[in-house]
Structures are given as C-alpha cells and as structure tokens.
C-alpha cells in the first residue's frame, strides 16, 4: 500500500493468513506468543507491534485509527498476505474493527475480544487515570491494572509473593512509549465503521471484565451484521490470565472459518 510504512511485526509459519493485533501496553510476543507457536504449522501468522511497542516508533502526533488500520493492511501485504483472518484484543479489537470496515475484501473472518464501539465517559475517566499514573508511578498503574484487568478466578488464588511477582512483571511492561496508545483509547468511536463490516465475526466477552464490561461487547455484536456473541469466564486480561481458554476459542473459530472458506 503506497505511502504507508509497515509496522514492526512478528511473522511465522505458512498457510492462510492470520493477523493478530495486541492490546494497550502489550506487544506482539507478550499478547500472542503461545498462539503463534500453536498455529504456525497451518497459518502464516503476522502480529504487528503498534506505535510504542516493539521496534515500532512512537507516533509524533496523536495516533489516527484509520491510518493505523491502513498500516496494518500494508504490513500484511508486505508479508504477502492479501487476505487474512483477523483477531484483536482490547485496543487491538478496536483497531481490527477499523481494518475490517476499511478493507472488507482483505478480511476472511474477524474475532474481537474485549472490543467496544465508542469510549464512554467512564472509560475516558479510567484511561485518564492510566495516563496520570504512568507519568508519575508506573508501579502504581501496574497494581491498578492487576486489580481491574484480571478476573477473580485468578486473583483469588494468588498469595503475597505471586501478587508481587505479577506486579513486577506488569511494571516492567509499562513505560511512556505507550501513552499514545492510551490516548487513542480515549478517542475510539466506531459507530460509522461497524455497519460496513462484511466479514463473519465472533465478538468475545469476558464475564468479569472490569475495564470494558460485557455490555460493550454486546453493543458491538448487535452493530455488526454477521456476528455471533460468546461470553466466557475471566477478566479483561484473558489472554494472560487464562491463555489456554482464550487461545482455544480463537483457534476453534479461525479453523472453522477457514474450513468454510475453503469449502
């Protein structure tokens, strides 16, 4: 795609295309590493790093969602993928929604976990808190994220040492390079995009999501014509707290859609 610089990315495997888009503060490997290894035997998997993640530079201006969607497609095409299954988590789900709306011919199927149509005042207030904490004390933001992103099924099993270990891991992931991603979170408005999606879509919600509660995913599913809705136990951070459950849903859906597409 002329005029668009490809994003830094991970690419592995061979076969039909599968593009995976990470959430705020994560990167291609931390969000998708186990899934990439699990499906590389049958898919060409591409996982871009959003601005401020991996080796993708921070955008000098506020991130434009539509332009970033075009960069995802440019990155896929540079890797030889003209059509692909598309999976996004959190901010990655919002971005995947924009990709599917802007480039319908490129998207074979769509899976959106913890997505949303429009940032409401509650979420804008929360994202502003993230920004303030990140600028002043990333360790405090790490603690806040643990308590809101992880579901009770995990949190209720942790002892003091495990909480400390989790907090250290979260803190290590957080630096000011992701401020642009958080700022983009505050501006998500896909009301004009969702009606243009033509790909078969699975909207996946986590029942205990405290960051983007399931009513957001139900609204998203209702706005996409060819969509199904699935709610599973867990929190917003399902790819990290229960990767086996999350990745099994993803692989089953993509494999089924690929079989139908081939048939």
């Amino acid at each position: 795609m002329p005029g668009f610089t490809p994003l830094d990315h991970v690419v592995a495997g061979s076969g039909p295309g599968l593009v995976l888009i990470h959430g705020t503060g994560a990167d291609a490997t931390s969000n998708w590493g186990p899934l990439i290894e699990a499906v590389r035997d049958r898919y060409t998997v591409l996982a871009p790093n959003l601005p401020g993640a991996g080796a993708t530079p921070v955008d000098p201006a506020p991130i434009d969602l539509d332009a970033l969607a075009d960069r995802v497609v440019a990155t896929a095409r540079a890797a030889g993928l003209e059509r692909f299954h598309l999976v996004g988590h959190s901010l990655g789900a919002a971005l995947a929604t924009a990709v599917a709306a802007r480039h319908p011919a490129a998207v074979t199927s769509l899976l959106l976990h913890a997505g949303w149509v429009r940032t409401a005042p509650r979420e804008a207030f929360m994202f502003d808190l993230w920004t303030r904490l990140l600028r002043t004390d990333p360790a405090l933001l790490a603690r806040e994220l643990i308590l809101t992103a992880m579901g009770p099924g995990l949190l209720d099993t942790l002892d003091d040492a495990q909480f400390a270990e989790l907090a250290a891991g979260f803190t290590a992931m957080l630096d000011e390079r992701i401020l642009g991603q958080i700022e983009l979170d505050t501006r998500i408005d896909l009301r004009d995009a969702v009606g243009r999606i033509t790909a078969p879509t699975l909207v996946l919600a986590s029942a205990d999501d405290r960051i983007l509660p399931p009513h957001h995913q139900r609204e998203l599913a209702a706005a996409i014509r060819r969509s199904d809705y699935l709610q599973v136990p867990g929190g917003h951070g399902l790819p990290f707290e229960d990767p086996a459950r999350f990745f099994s849903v993803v692989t089953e859906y993509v494999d089924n859609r690929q079989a139908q597409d081939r048939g």
Side-chain angles (χ1 to χ4, degrees):
M1 186 177 296
F4 289 96
T5 304
L7 298 158
D8 175 51
H9 59 277
V10 173
V11 64
S14 62
L18 172 59
V19 174
L20 309 171
I21 309 181
H22 68 78
T24 303
D27 60 27
T29 302
S30 65
N31 207 147
W32 304 112
L35 179 61
I36 293 170
E37 291 303 311
V39 302
R40 62 183 297 169
D41 63 327
R42 57 193 187 276
Y43 294 98
T44 299
V45 189
L46 183 139
N49 283 306
L50 303 186
T56 302
V58 174
D59 275 7
I63 299 170
D64 180 271
L65 184 67
D66 289 343
L68 185 55
D70 293 343
R71 288 185 72 188
V72 169
V73 175
T75 304
R77 289 180 179 169
L81 302 180
E82 293 295 326
R83 294 187 74 231
F84 45 83
H85 301 278
L86 181 59
V87 180
H89 161 69
S90 192
L91 175 58
L95 178 54
T97 302
V99 170
R102 291 176 64 79
H103 301 275
V107 179
T108 306
S109 74
L110 182 63
L111 189 151
L112 307 171
H113 175 247
W116 71 109
V117 176
R118 181 177 66 92
T119 301
R122 171 197 172 273
E123 285 76 44
F125 188 84
M126 175 185 62
F127 295 139
D128 179 67
L129 174 62
W130 290 6
T131 296
R132 291 167 185 254
L133 289 174
L134 181 55
R135 284 175 168 157
T136 56
D137 191 338
L140 287 182
L141 175 57
R143 288 172 175 253
E144 196 273 342
L145 289 174
I146 289 166
L147 293 174
T148 55
M150 300 298 148
L154 174 67
L155 295 179
D156 291 347
T157 68
L158 301 180
D159 59 25
D160 291 344
Q162 290 169 318
F163 269 110
E165 181 181 1
L166 195 57
F170 267 66
T171 303
M173 291 171 56
L174 299 171
D175 65 56
E176 293 198 4
R177 295 182 73 233
I178 69 167
L179 284 170
Q181 297 177 27
I182 300 173
E183 194 277 333
L184 177 57
D185 287 326
T186 70
R187 293 185 284 106
I188 296 299
D189 188 345
L190 294 160
R191 287 175 291 179
D192 292 336
V194 287
R196 301 198 304 272
I197 294 174
T198 59
T201 302
L202 177 63
V203 177
L204 179 63
S206 294
D208 300 307
D209 193 334
R210 297 184 182 92
I211 291 177
L212 290 158
H215 70 85
H216 285 286
Q217 290 87 61
R218 290 193 291 270
E219 179 186 7
L220 184 60
I224 297 174
R225 282 174 289 174
R226 299 176 63 194
S227 69
D228 294 308
Y229 174 83
L230 176 64
Q231 183 169 301
V232 297
H236 185 84
L238 189 64
F240 308 95
E241 71 177 76
D242 194 349
R245 183 193 301 274
F246 178 68
F247 294 143
S248 68
V249 172
V250 173
T251 54
E252 180 179 0
Y253 180 72
V254 173
D255 285 346
N256 287 341
R257 296 309 317 183
Q258 178 58 30
Q260 294 180 39
D261 187 61
R262 186 169 53 241

